[in-house]
Amino acid sequence: MSAQIVAAGPESAGLLAALHAKAFDGGEIWDADAFETLLAGPGVDAIIAVRGEAPLGFILMRTIADEAEMLTLAVLPSARRSGIGRALVEAGLQASQERGAARAFLEVAVNNQAAIALYRASGWGKAGHRARYYRDGSDALVLSRLL
Ligand SMILES: CC(C)(COP(=O)(O)OP(=O)(O)OC[C@H]1O[C@@H](n2cnc3c(N)ncnc32)[C@H](O)[C@@H]1OP(=O)(O)O)[C@@H](O)C(=O)NCCC(=O)NCCS
């Protein structure tokens, strides 16, 4: 993978917003203020993948008691299919586990084949289905994984 995985603090809100916009390409926009608010909240871990000086992607987790939620995961299009997404998921789950999480959840759009393939390959299973969950009207799958 040849990228470093590093923890990020509230000072990274602008960077996370920029990575998110590039990775989701016109999808749901989370601006720097949204990230700043999230990062200031309890139980939140942001982890960035960096190659040299260049940030390539990140994961955002929130852990409350023994439950973790993956809030978002993003890898730049130019850096995909080199194991960064998988490494970020493992690092995010580890951070949540260190906070006491025993189980993790996430929501993913039913038509997001790349993300669903990544989660299936990393041991996540279906835990539910939310109809019309996203702003564009698409459904979400709820996936979970024991830690
Ligand atoms: C989903 C995403 C994070 C994957 O990141 P990535 O760095 O490319 O993922 P990895 O290289 O670690 O892939 C790990 C495995 O997932 C699966 N996978 C990933 N992308 C895939 C694709 N486009 N098609 C099929 N399988 C895919 C494969 O099994 C892959 O292993 P392999 O490359 O050895 O075959 C990235 O595509 C992305 O940022 N997408 C836009 C944002 C998004 O959808 N985030 C998730 C929201 S829930």
Side-chain angles (χ1 to χ4, degrees), residues 23-24 73-75 79-86 107-108 112 114-115 117-119 121:
F24 281 88
L73 167 69
V75 175
R80 288 182 189 163
R81 294 312 286 269
S82 64
I84 292 172
R86 194 196 298 264
E107 276 112 12
V108 58
N112 190 342
L118 164 57
Y119 301 138

Side-chain angles (χ1 to χ4, degrees), residues 20 24 30 35 58-61 69-74 119:
H20 192 269
F24 281 88
W30 295 13
F35 278 105
F58 73 98
I59 190 167
L60 198 61
M61 303 290 302
E69 185 184 3
M70 188 191 295
L71 298 176
T72 193
L73 167 69
Y119 301 138

Side-chain angles (χ1 to χ4, degrees), residues 22-91:
K22 284 181 190 154
F24 281 88
D25 190 27
E28 209 157 321
I29 298 299
W30 295 13
D31 62 15
D33 285 349
F35 278 105
E36 209 172 317
T37 304
L38 279 169
L39 291 167
V44 173
D45 290 294
I47 298 168
I48 303 182
V50 183
R51 185 177 292 144
E53 296 285 297
L56 304 176
F58 73 98
I59 190 167
L60 198 61
M61 303 290 302
R62 179 164 52 203
T63 308
I64 297 172
D66 63 352
E67 256 181 31
E69 185 184 3
M70 188 191 295
L71 298 176
T72 193
L73 167 69
V75 175
L76 292 180
S78 58
R80 288 182 189 163
R81 294 312 286 269
S82 64
I84 292 172
R86 194 196 298 264
L88 284 169
V89 169
E90 294 311 318

